[in-house]
Amino acid sequence: MTETEQFEIASNWFKQLEQRDLDQLISLYSDTRLSFHPTLWDEHIRDRVRARDYFVSFLAKRPQVLAFEGDFLSLDDRSFLYAGTMTLKLGSQNQNTESRVTARFSFVWTKEGDSQWRILHHHNSVVPKS
């Protein structure tokens, strides 16, 4: 698999986040073996139900993807790692303020039995301010 093909798969997450399409975003996650450490929650999520709960509150912040970049590492012919940084603009719950968040991310994508590419592992953490 080429890096271009990997980028096409991985960038779909950013596209669905930007479009705030909850169902499409959740469908990108594995429902059988998920490990998800979100940016703004301290819970380790292990299934789509809890991922949905997280993204309902996260999407309410109206995230806008300002930038993302990373590197790819092929793990085998059915999985790869994409790790890097992203910058998002988030609105407040009352919609009056906005903030920018830069976060580190890592995704492990795997081709599941139904031949769909899904996120097996996702970890985000806010980059500390120096």
Side-chain angles (χ1 to χ4, degrees):
M1 170 176 273
T2 68
E3 193 169 294
T4 300
E5 291 168 319
Q6 291 171 335
F7 180 79
E8 185 176 312
I9 293 164
S11 65
N12 193 32
W13 185 89
F14 295 94
K15 176 183 172 187
Q16 300 309 324
L17 183 70
E18 179 81 15
Q19 292 178 355
R20 298 184 204 119
D21 189 330
L22 179 61
D23 291 332
Q24 288 298 314
L25 188 61
I26 297 304
S27 75
L28 297 177
Y29 287 86
S30 176
D31 200 30
T32 58
R33 304 177 289 160
L34 179 61
S35 175
F36 176 23
H37 295 275
T39 310
L40 302 177
W41 241 15
D42 62 357
E43 181 181 338
H44 180 191
I45 295 172
R46 297 178 195 274
D47 60 46
R48 284 187 187 165
V49 172
R50 292 302 289 154
R52 177 179 288 280
D53 293 341
Y54 171 74
F55 280 113
V56 165
S57 64
F58 189 76
L59 293 177
K61 299 178 186 303
R62 303 177 340 271
Q64 289 182 284
V65 178
L66 301 177
F68 66 95
E69 63 180 354
D71 296 305
F72 293 93
L73 175 63
S74 292
L75 302 174
D76 58 36
D77 62 339
R78 298 183 64 85
S79 60
F80 65 90
L81 169 73
Y82 180 45
T85 59
M86 68 174 123
T87 302
L88 304 175
K89 183 166 63 169
L90 302 173
S92 67
Q93 294 292 347
N94 65 10
Q95 317 262 335
N96 292 331
T97 61
E98 294 179 339
S99 62
R100 287 180 185 231
V101 175
T102 300
R104 299 177 184 114
F105 65 80
S106 62
F107 292 93
V108 173
W109 287 85
T110 188
K111 194 171 195 177
E112 294 195 328
D114 62 359
S115 296
Q116 296 297 310
W117 284 95
R118 295 213 173 81
I119 299 164
L120 179 66
H121 170 79
H122 177 188
H123 181 254
N124 274 13
S125 60
V126 175
V127 173
K129 295 186 183 198
S130 31

